[in-house]
Each structure stands twice: as structure tokens, then as C-alpha cells.
């Protein structure tokens, strides 16, 4: 079997260097065409009618008047009379017309008769949830009752973090064209190789005749895997209209309401410890919602999971609200917020520095040495020793504080196939049915291929973004970089082997004595016995060399190209105005390991981005439900707040690149770095004020309530 | 312009920004039985909504472009839907996020909050007009150099806002960059790169209003 293993760290010429993303110029010049930018000839625009009610039975839908409106080409309904909708903004009908304005007018002419039914849209008070709450079953380890009795100190507290939405800037949607027996589908997707199969299933259509194309996509964060109801109805509208292409993209309110949310998570907890800070017991009652189908269950206690005595009860609450979708590290940011808040408050009760408590109990984690070293690195970066003070200690209106958050993630490579074609003219093509969701995947594939073939990146043409290429997994779970790098590496090694066989006779050595270096094929270690890549390519005759490489997750651990298990620590420094309640970020630092780092430049960007997302959810983001109408009160970008450039403070990222981490192979990064920041910020606010803001986000209202010791919903 | 009289046009223009159409645009109050307060209020204000296009000429990136629009068509929708000029993106569609930033009469504006008919007679610059095909404007280049983009959907808006800022203030301080870019939102979180990119672009342009 060929030797696929990564070149030694000090031998790499391209991997590990800071490369600007290759599609950067297309994006920053506006030339990159996203699915929502597609305007093929004859395009029909659409508008979607959504339910104004959070829970209702549809008595009838009448589209007659809408059909005769100017420009209308087709109308379809998502539901029929008799159906129940379980959340506001659920899709009811869709109109295709020559212009968007015409489609919107026609949507208004659709008459729907609803029987309005009772709804429940808020879950912060579990006692009110009644039969809407489903218990997940108790988990017990050790003897939590005895351990809490024996503990020197018991912290008893409550915390909560609300539902937030993905708020992808490019809304969910697609352009589709169903012509004859083939469908062209241009979705904004994280899954070019699987979304077509889902569409085929929804339409009872031949999957082989659906061509999916997505060169660029405007953000997914876990919410853009499925073909979606509007994908299927958009395709059907195209068929209904004789194959005219149909564009469907959700408007902002619908996007924020039904296209994906992150579950909330609330917890009442008791944590027991010895006087020296050793954590001995954990007892939590938690609940969450992810919409009508229930909710996610955060892995608590988080990272510090091996507390010897613990009891956990959890309930999932069904609400009449838009459904959850995977949200960058599903359930982990909530778990980090809940767990590290409790540990930090426990430290306060023990009169200990929380850093010491996190360090002391690192044996409760799966990677004690790594967390200890990362806690120490992050503490140095934020200058913890100088900046930490007893909670609330300080003078004046503006108070500063520091806090800690932790993270863990899997991130092993997904199943991925790559085809590499070496052409006789010296050109190289690399094909994968993968996608670049903004993480730099395209660039990293190019770097791996160039490194392996001994060519400059400019000599490699990487083609991704369609299901016509060999299948790669969806971009979820931080599995893409491990998957595509490994399959590309293997395809390139396989292709080189074939090329060496063609070249070996001319260089007078066996094929296994050759290597590809600096755009040449040469006898190993002997640059004088060599020929240029171009000359070598000519030896292959008229037929191109085509080789596959595959990452098979079950075999990957043996091969060592990729693996799982990332750790991270983030620390925050905030400034809180005790008169206005406003929190300002001063600094956020992130120490993150992710094994072998292919492109430190784009990797750092992901961590910076994750830190900023953490600031958003710690300070600004909350989906606000109105109990009376059952609607989302802030389905827009003015009142669904995200951080802007003035809100982020200083951010410092340290990729934990060490020979030991590098030797583990590639581990996904997108998710682990998006976990600990929000927790760190919440804990920094506690340190600044000396009181806990128990519910995220720490808006001025919630901060002032905490300072005034006011209870509030 | 078409033969439609001006009062019709004014009515349509106003109705396009009435509270009612806003509510409708948000998917609220459409075909509702048992209406709540919002719907009743909207019904009381019901204005007659008509469809109808007029042909206007827009001065787009230095060239006159003829385009048929409705009075309610925003500049952004005219660009994206009718002129296939898709660099400016439609994200919030309510003047909050800046993804649709274009430069009109030398000022950065949100394309989603300007009617196409109101852009007649003004110089409209979109990201497509920043540099000839195959070349990169220094601001775009600075965004590449500093990796001030991930998914890239907000990037054209940021680039245009940066360009307008630097035209106005060729040597901004960090604080001025933060304030100047505060009207643009990025979900991937590229602000650290954006901050560096705008400062680098200022340097690359040597402080001249290139």
C-alpha cells in the first residue's frame, strides 16, 4: 500500500503556510455568483405565504383570485385543508410570477381560513410547560445525595440561555429548473452531494437526473443541509410552468423564524466541593426547547464531565415555534455556558480564583494535560494574574472582570472521495463533490494537492460545488477539512505513483525511487537525476492519469491522516457600566488545538469568527417570542441584534500548533472554537459585578436587574 | 418615463413604504381571519396596491442603463432582479445590515432603502464598477490580504462602505474605521480582518481618493 502519511512538519512547503483564500478575489469583487444571484433566462420569482398563527387548523385555502393576478405563472400549496400548522410563519403557499412584486401582490390575494388553536411559545418557566415537557430519564453516577451531604460547600444556582437563530446572511433557498426528465438545482447548501438525493426523495424523482450546483453559499452554520419544502415546491413550480427556472429565497422574517434555531437551555443545579476546590458532586435539572419537536440536550456537566457523583434530569419542551437545526457545535455552547457558570460561582463561594478551580479539577476532563496547558496559555494571553480580582471587587461606575470558558469537540473527517486527473500537458484537476461554506475548503484542498504533487498551487485546478464530482460528505460536525484533505492526499499519492511508473524507465530507477519536488520528478534526494513536471507528463502518452482517493472514517484512525478530539479554552475581559448596564468587550482570547493545521490563515479566521459569534450570543442575541400572538417579535436584523465592528474589542487567537498536536493528523476546527467564548464573557461579567446575570444574553436590562437583585422572566 | 400621471406615481411610491406594505412584506396580516391588532390597523390603512412598470434610465457604473421598474421597486431589487447586477446582496431588506451598500452621488447608501426611481439622474456605483474585469480594486485586494471574508456574502457591502469611507477620510483612525463600518453586519465574524483591511487599503491608496 502506498505511504499516504503527511510529510514531516519541517518538510512541508505549502501546508502550514499562511495562504490567502483562493476565492477571495471573486468574493471581494462581487464577481462570485451565489445561488441567490442566479438569474437564468426566463426566471420566475416567488413569494411565500406563511401562517400568521402559531397554532391553527387550516379550514380552506383559496388561490383562485391569486391565479388571475398580473404576471402569475404558478401557485402551489405546502399544506392542504385539514392540516395543522404548529408555528407561526409556517409555509402555506407559494406563488411564482414574472416579477417579485407581482408574486408578493398575488400572495396577498390568497385566502386562507384558519381555525385558531391554543399555542404555547415560551419555556423559561418549566412549571408552566405541563404535558409539553417530556422527561429524558434520569442519569445517575455514584451517590450524589451522599456526596452533596458530605460536601464542604454546595453551590445552588440557576442559569438559562435562550433560543437564538442562525441568521444566515444569504437566506435559505434555491433556483431550480425542471426541464423534461432532468432537474437543475442551485441551492444555497452545505451539502452538494446529498441535497439532490433528498430532493429526489421528496419529488419521487430519479436522483441521477438531479444536478446540484453551489459554487458559493452565504452562510449556513449547520442550518443548510436539507432540500427543504421550498426546494421541492420550487422545483414543482418549474415543472408546472414548462421548465422555467424558479427562484425561491426566504424573506428575512421567514428566514429568522422557520429556517433554523439553536435550542435554548435552562438549568437548576447543585454543585458540591471540598474546601480545597475539588468538585465532588453535581445535580442538575435542566430543560430546553428546539421547537415543536422538543429540544436538544446539552452535554452537562461539560468538559469537566467526570465528576464522581452526579444526577442529571432533563426535559425537552415542545413549543409552537420554528424548528431547531444544527447550530455550530450543537448543544455545546449552551453546555459550556451552564457548566462554567456553575464552576465559576462555586469558586466564588469557595473564595477561590476560578482559574485555580478549573486547573485543580482538570482531571475530570478527558485531556487533563491539554486543558491545563491551554488554561495556562490563555491566562497568560489575557494577563489573568494581573486582572483577576475577587468577584465585584472594584470601585466606580465602570467595572472590569475576567472569565473562563472551555470547549471540546470531535471533528474526525467525513466520508470523502476525490478524483485527481493529471493531464499530458502538465495540468492537474482535482474534483470533489464538496463545498466551501466560507471556511476555506477550496484553498485547503489546493494546498494539499500542491504539497503532495510537488507543484505550486497555481498549477492545480480544484473543482468542487456539484454532485457531478465524487461524493464528499456534508459540511457538518467540523468533518470537512479532515475528510477532503485525506481523500485529496490519497488521490494525489495514487496519481503520482502512476506517473512515476511512466517516468521511471527514462530516469533509470524503479518507480518507488522517485519523488515529486519543486515541479520536478526526481530520483529521491538527487536533483540532478530529474525531469520537469511538464516533461514527465508527456511520458504518459495521450491518456490522462485518473486516480481516486477516499477517506473512509472507519479506517482513518489507522491511517493517521485525520482524527478527532479538539480542546479549547477562551478567556474574556469585559467592562460593565453599572449605571447603564452596558457590557463592552475589552478582550477575548482563544487557545485552540485542532491537530495538523493546513492553512493557519483561514483557520485563525474561523476562530476569530467564532469568537465574534460568541460575543453576539453572550451580549445580544435572543429570539423573543410573544406569548399572546405566538409570533417572533424580532424577526429582523434591527431587533435581532448581532455584534458590529465597534462591539468586538480586541481578539487574540492562538492556534495550539505543536509537534504533538500535529502528529495527531487533521481535526476539524469550525465548531470547537465557537463554544467557550460566550461562557467566558458571562463569567467575566460575574467577576466584574460580583453578581451573576443568570440569563443570557447580558443585555443592559438583564445586567441592571442582576445588580438590583430583581427576579424577572 | 411612461404616461402614468405623477399623482399615481406618488401614491404608489408612498404605499410602497406604508406600514401596511411593511407588515405584508413581513408575512403578517395576509388573508387572516380573526385578525389581531396589527391586522386591523393595517386594514384601516389599506391603500390600493397596483402593479405597473415604468421605464427609467439609471446611470450605473458610468453607463446609462434602461430598466423597467415599478414605483415601489427598490434600487437594490432593480439592480439584482432587473439588471443582473448582483454584487450588492439583499439580506435584511430593511436598512440595517449594509449588505446592499452602493455608492450613490458619492455617498454610501443602502440599496434596499432607496427607490429605483429616486436614483434617476444620480451616479450609482456598485462593486461591479470598482475595477475592470480581471483587476482588483485596492480595497478588494486589502480584503483578500487580510482574509476579511469567509462566506463572503456581506463582503461586497463592506468593500463599498470601506471605499466610501476612504473617499471621505483617506487616513482614518481605528476608531473611525470601527464607526465607519458600524452600518455593516457580518455573520461569519470577519470584523478583525475588516478592521485591518480598511487600514491597509488606506495605506495602499496612499491617502489619495483613488
Amino acid at each position: 500500500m502506498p505511504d499516504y502519511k503527511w510529510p514531516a512538519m519541517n518538510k512541508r512547503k505549502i501546508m502550514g503556510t499562511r495562504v490567502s483564500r483562493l476565492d477571495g478575489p471573486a468574493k471581494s469583487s462581487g464577481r462570485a455568483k451565489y445561488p441567490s444571484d442566479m438569474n437564468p433566462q426566463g426566471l420566475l420569482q416567488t413569494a411565500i405565504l406563511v401562517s400568521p398563527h402559531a397554532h391553527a387548523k387550516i379550514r380552506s385555502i383559496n388561490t383562485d383570485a391569486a391565479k388571475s393576478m398580473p404576471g402569475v405563472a404558478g401557485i402551489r400549496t405546502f399544506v392542504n385543508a385539514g392540516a395543522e400548522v404548529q408555528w407561526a410563519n409556517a409555509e402555506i403557499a407559494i406563488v411564482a410570477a414574472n416579477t417579485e412584486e407581482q408574486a408578493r401582490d398575488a400572495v396577498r390575494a390568497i385566502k386562507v381560513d384558519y381555525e385558531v388553536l391554543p399555542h404555547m411559545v415560551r419555556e423559561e418557566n418549566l412549571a408552566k410547560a405541563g404535558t409539553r415537557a417530556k422527561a429524558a430519564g434520569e442519569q445517575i453516577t455514584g451517590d450524589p445525595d451522599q456526596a452533596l451531604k458530605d460536601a464542604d460547600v454546595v453551590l445552588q444556582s440557576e442559569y438559562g440561555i435562550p433560543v437564538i437563530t442562525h441568521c444566515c446572511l444569504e437566506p435559505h433557498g434555491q433556483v431550480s429548473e425542471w426541464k423534461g426528465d432532468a432537474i437543475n438545482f442551485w441551492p444555497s447548501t452545505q451539502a452538494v452531494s446529498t441535497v439532490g438525493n433528498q430532493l429526489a426523495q421528496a419529488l419521487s424523482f430519479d436522483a441521477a437526473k438531479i444536478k446540484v450546483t453551489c459554487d458559493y453559499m452565504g452562510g449556513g452554520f449547520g442550518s443548510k443541509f436539507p432540500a427543504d419544502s421550498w426546494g421541492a415546491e420550487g422545483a414543482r413550480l418549474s415543472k408546472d410552468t414548462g421548465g422555467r427556472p424558479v427562484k425561491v429565497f426566504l424573506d428575512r422574517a421567514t428566514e429568522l423564524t422557520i429556517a433554523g434555531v439553536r435550542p435554548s437551555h435552562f438549568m437548576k443545579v447543585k454543585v458540591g466541593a471540598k474546601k480545597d476546590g475539588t468538585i465532588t458532586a453535581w445535580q442538575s435539572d435542566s430543560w430546553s426547547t428546539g421547537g415543536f419537536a422538543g429540544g436538544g440536550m446539552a452535554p452537562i456537566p461539560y468538559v469537566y464531565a467526570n465528576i464522581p457523583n452526579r444526577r442529571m434530569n432533563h426535559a425537552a419542551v415542545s413549543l409552537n415555534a420554528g424548528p431547531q437545526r444544527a447550530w455550530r457545535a450543537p448543544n455545546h455552547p449552551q453546555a459550556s455556558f451552564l457548566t462554567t457558570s456553575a464552576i465559576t460561582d462555586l469558586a466564588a463561594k469557595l473564595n477561590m480564583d476560578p482559574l485555580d478551580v478549573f486547573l485543580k479539577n482538570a482531571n475530570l476532563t478527558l485531556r487533563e494535560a491539554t486543558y491545563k496547558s491551554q488554561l495556562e496559555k490563555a491566562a497568560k494571553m489575557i494577563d489573568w494574574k494581573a486582572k483577576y480580582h475577587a468577584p465585584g471587587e472594584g470601585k466606580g461606575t465602570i467595572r472590569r472582570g475576567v472569565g473562563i470558558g472551555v470547549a471540546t469537540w470531535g471533528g474526525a473527517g467525513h466520508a470523502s472521495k476525490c478524483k485527481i486527473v493529471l493531464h499530458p500537458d502538465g495540468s492537474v484537476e482535482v474534483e470533489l463533490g464538496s463545498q466551501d461554506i466560507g471556511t476555506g475548503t477550496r484553498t485547503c484542498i489546493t494546498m494539499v494537492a500542491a504539497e503532495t504533487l510537488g507543484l505550486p498551487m497555481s498549477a492545480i485546478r480544484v473543482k468542487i460545488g456539484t454532485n457531478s464530482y465524487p461524493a464528499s460528505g456534508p459540511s457538518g460536525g467540523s468533518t470537512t477539512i479532515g475528510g477532503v484533505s485525506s481523500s485529496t492526499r490519497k488521490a494525489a499519492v495514487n496519481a503520482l505513483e502512476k506517473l512515476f511508473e511512466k517516468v521511471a524507465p527514462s530516469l533509470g530507477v524503479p518507480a518507488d525511487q522517485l519523488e515529486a519536488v519543486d515541479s520536478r520528478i526526481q530520483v529521491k534526494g538527487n536533483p540532478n537525476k530529474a525531469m520537469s513536471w511538464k516533461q514527465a507528463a508527456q511520458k504518459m502518452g495521450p491518456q490522462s492519469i485518473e486516480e481516486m482517493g477516499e477517506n473512509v472514517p472507519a479506517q482513518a484512525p489507522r491511517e493517521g491522516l485525520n482524527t478527532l478530539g479538539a480542546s479549547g479554552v477562551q478567556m474574556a475581559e469585559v467592562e460593565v457600566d453599572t449605571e447603564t448596564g452596558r457590557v463592552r468587550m475589552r478582550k477575548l482570547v482563544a487557545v485552540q488545538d485542532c491537530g495538523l493545521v493546513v492553512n493557519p490563515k483561514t483557520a485563525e479566521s474561523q476562530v476569530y469568527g467564532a469568537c465574534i459569534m460568541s460575543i453576539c450570543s453572550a451580549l445580544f442575541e435572543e429570539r423573543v417570542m410573544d406569548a399572546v400572538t405566538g409570533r417572533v417579535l424580532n424577526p429582523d436584523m434591527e431587533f435581532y441584534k448581532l455584534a458590529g465592528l465597534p462591539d468586538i474589542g480586541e481578539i487574540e487567537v492562538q492556534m495550539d500548533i505543536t509537534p504533538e498536536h500535529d502528529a495527531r493528523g487533521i481535526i476539524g476546527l469550525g465548531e470547537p472554537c465557537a463554544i467557550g467564548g460566550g461562557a467566558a464573557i458571562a463569567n467575566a461579567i460575574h467577576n466584574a459585578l460580583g453578581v451573576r446575570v443568570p440569563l443570557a444574553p447580558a443585555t443592559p436590562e438583564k445586567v441592571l436587574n442582576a445588580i438590583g437583585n430583581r427576579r424577572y422572566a | 418615463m411612461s404616461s402614468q400621471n405623477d399623482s399615481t406615481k406618488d401614491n404608489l411610491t408612498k404605499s410602497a413604504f406604508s406600514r401596511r406594505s411593511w407588515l405584508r412584506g413581513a408575512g403578517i396580516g395576509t388573508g387572516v381571519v380573526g385578525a389581531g391588532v396589527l391586522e386591523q390597523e393595517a386594514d384601516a390603512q389599506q391603500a390600493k396596491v397596483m402593479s405597473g412598470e415604468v421605464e427609467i434610465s439609471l446611470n450605473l457604473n458610468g453607463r446609462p442603463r434602461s430598466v423597467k421598474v415599478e414605483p415601489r421597486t427598490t434600487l437594490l431589487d432593480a439592480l439584482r432582479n432587473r439588471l443582473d447586477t448582483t454584487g450588492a446582496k439583499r439580506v435584511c431588506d430593511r436598512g440595517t445590515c449594509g449588505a446592499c451598500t452602493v455608492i450613490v452621488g458619492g455617498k454610501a447608501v443602502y440599496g434596499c432603502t432607496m427607490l429605483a426611481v429616486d436614483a434617476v439622474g444620480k451616479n450609482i456605483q456598485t462593486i461591479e464598477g470598482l475595477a475592470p474585469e480581471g483587476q482588483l480594486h485596492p480595497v478588494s485586494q486589502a480584503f483578500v490580504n487580510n482574509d476579511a471574508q469567509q462566506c463572503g456574502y456581506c463582503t461586497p457591502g463592506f468593500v463599498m462602505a470601506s471605499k466610501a469611507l476612504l473617499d471621505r477620510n483617506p487616513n482614518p483612525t481605528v476608531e473611525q474605521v470601527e464607526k465607519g463600518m458600524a452600518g455593516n453586519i457580518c455573520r461569519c465574524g470577519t470584523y478583525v480582518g475588516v478592521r485591518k483591511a480598511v487600514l491597509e487599503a488606506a495605506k495602499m491608496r496612499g491617502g489619495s481618493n483613488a
Side-chain angles (χ1 to χ4, degrees), chain A residues 6 23 34 92 126 372 419 429 519 530 551 581 628 641 700:
Chain A
W6 297 116
D23 48 14
Y34 294 75
I92 304 291
L126 183 64
K372 273 188 173 164
K419 181 166 106 177
E429 290 183 293
S519 302
N551 184 57
V628 177
K641 300 287 288 179

Side-chain angles (χ1 to χ4, degrees), chain A residues 363-383:
Chain A
N363 61 312
L364 302 177
T365 73
L366 287 177
R367 286 183 285 276
E368 182 178 358
T370 301
Y371 283 109
K372 273 188 173 164
S373 122
Q374 291 190 340
L375 282 163
E376 275 155 8
K377 280 181 189 170
K380 207 171 248 178
M381 285 159 74
I382 200 117
D383 199 7

